[in-house]
Amino acid sequence: MELNHQKLNDDLFILIRTIFHYERIFNTKFKLKIEEVYVLEILRKQEVVRVTDVSKELQLPMFNISRLVSRLVEDGYVTKEQDLADRRNFFLHLTDKGKEVLSAVENYSFERISTNVKYLKEYQVKELLHLAEQLHIILGVTEEVFRPQENERS
């Protein structure tokens, strides 16, 4: 199949705009940025997470991660514990409040999406879900998306 360059660019721009505006909903409704939701998800999935692990996962410099983590700690979503073996390191833990806000984000997203897909035909919903499963391949970020899951098993 041959791709139309302009159509692809237009569709990608719509995707970027869509994600941008969806993130704004998180920010308005939950006072969270998408990166913060991502960090909370990481903490829920992994028992022991160091600040440096978060930096590597998000591929952001430590000064950005430090600000992000400080905000999550200030809001009571995360606790930070100094590593006794290496005092430069800190471990992060998801608090009950962090679990609650993460559940609220997930429930809100599920309800919003469930409501909106009612207007689609069943085959369109299946296509959409299939595309969502394959998006990492289409955008060429499979390694970045699935690397964390490999770390969880080790």
Side-chain angles (χ1 to χ4, degrees):
M1 178 177 146
E2 193 170 322
L3 295 176
N4 178 304
H5 191 267
Q6 187 59 50
K7 172 87 168 101
L8 180 62
N9 285 341
D10 292 345
D11 289 346
L12 283 174
F13 182 64
I14 290 170
L15 176 65
I16 290 167
R17 285 179 70 187
T18 302
I19 292 168
F20 173 80
H21 288 285
Y22 195 66
E23 178 182 359
R24 294 196 42 97
I25 291 168
F26 282 123
N27 206 342
T28 302
K29 187 160 184 61
F30 300 103
K31 307 292 185 241
L32 287 169
K33 295 180 181 176
I34 202 77
E35 302 93 7
E36 294 166 333
V37 174
Y38 191 1
V39 170
L40 296 176
E41 281 285 357
I42 291 169
L43 296 177
R44 181 171 59 183
K45 293 179 187 292
Q46 298 180 26
E47 222 172 281
V48 178
V49 179
R50 296 176 304 206
V51 174
T52 53
D53 297 333
V54 173
S55 176
K56 288 176 189 170
E57 171 59 29
L58 272 67
Q59 298 179 355
L60 292 173
M62 279 300 292
F63 67 88
N64 287 359
I65 296 301
S66 294
R67 279 188 289 190
L68 190 150
V69 167
S70 291
R71 186 176 177 306
L72 292 172
V73 169
E74 284 173 22
D75 290 344
Y77 299 136
V78 171
T79 59
K80 194 164 94 169
E81 172 189 354
Q82 192 167 34
D83 181 355
L84 298 177
D86 181 355
R87 298 184 89 46
R88 295 170 297 172
N89 257 330
F90 288 89
F91 296 107
L92 302 175
H93 305 280
L94 188 61
T95 64
D96 287 341
K97 185 177 179 183
K99 291 174 188 171
E100 288 171 15
V101 77
L102 201 48
S103 288
V105 165
E106 289 172 343
N107 291 337
Y108 176 80
S109 294
F110 181 81
E111 291 302 319
R112 184 177 178 95
I113 292 168
S114 295
T115 298
N116 292 331
V117 298
K118 288 178 184 172
Y119 302 106
L120 300 175
K121 293 183 176 20
E122 185 177 346
Y123 81 90
Q124 291 173 310
V125 174
K126 287 180 181 179
E127 285 177 359
L128 179 65
L129 294 174
H130 180 70
L131 175 62
E133 289 173 354
Q134 302 302 313
L135 194 57
H136 62 91
I137 295 168
I138 296 166
L139 297 178
V141 293
T142 301
E143 184 178 319
E144 292 84 352
V145 170
F146 287 102
R147 180 185 55 233
Q149 291 180 353
E150 292 169 8
N151 291 342
E152 288 175 28
R153 289 186 219 123
S154 51

